[in-house]
Amino acid sequence: MQTCPTPGCPELTPGGRCQACAAKARGGRKHPGAKGYGRAWQRTRAAFLAAHPYCECEECTALPELFRPRATEVNHRDGLGPLGPRGHDWTNLQAMTKSHHSRHTAREQPGGWNDRE
């Protein structure tokens, strides 16, 4: 047994943080399934990527399809995710690479990485 490594916490643990400090460190983040990214979304995502195998970001759509990188993620154009009113509507989805999806998210979401400007 050891003391919880969180400064000021006296709880003894078998290793790592105590349950209370671990929960606080997670900051109350929800499980992906609670945000709509469960089995139904995984099926929609897999079917959409099978039908749209190449990146559809603005930069890539200017290239011939055979020169586009392979898509690995699906973006919600409305930014609301699978729980939004059009969460599984294919007209609201966009196939993207991981890096292009991350860049898009950083630019578009309020409080995102680029919101400091």
Side-chain angles (χ1 to χ4, degrees):
M1 296 291 275
Q2 67 182 34
T3 304
C4 176
T6 303
C9 181
E11 294 294 317
L12 292 176
T13 66
R17 293 182 173 167
C18 68
Q19 289 182 346
C21 291
K24 189 183 286 185
R26 283 191 299 271
R29 285 182 277 163
K30 292 181 179 178
H31 184 275
K35 295 187 282 184
Y37 293 98
R39 288 187 180 138
W41 170 249
Q42 293 304 322
R43 285 191 297 271
T44 299
R45 178 188 174 278
F48 189 80
L49 287 175
H52 300 89
Y54 301 107
C55 187
E56 299 173 338
C57 75
E58 291 179 20
E59 179 183 318
C60 291
T61 53
L63 300 171
E65 193 170 87
L66 292 175
F67 290 107
R68 293 184 201 170
R70 198 107 172 122
T72 57
E73 298 194 3
V74 178
N75 177 53
H76 287 87
R77 294 177 192 268
D78 64 7
L80 299 177
L83 293 179
R86 297 176 52 217
H88 294 265
D89 179 354
W90 280 30
T91 62
N92 183 41
L93 304 179
Q94 182 179 25
M96 291 182 148
T97 64
K98 168 74 175 153
S99 61
H100 293 173
H101 189 224
S102 295
R103 181 180 63 199
H104 173 79
T105 300
R107 285 184 191 146
E108 301 297 320
Q109 284 191 351
W113 303 319
N114 293 333
D115 200 33
R116 296 183 197 105
E117 298 176 292

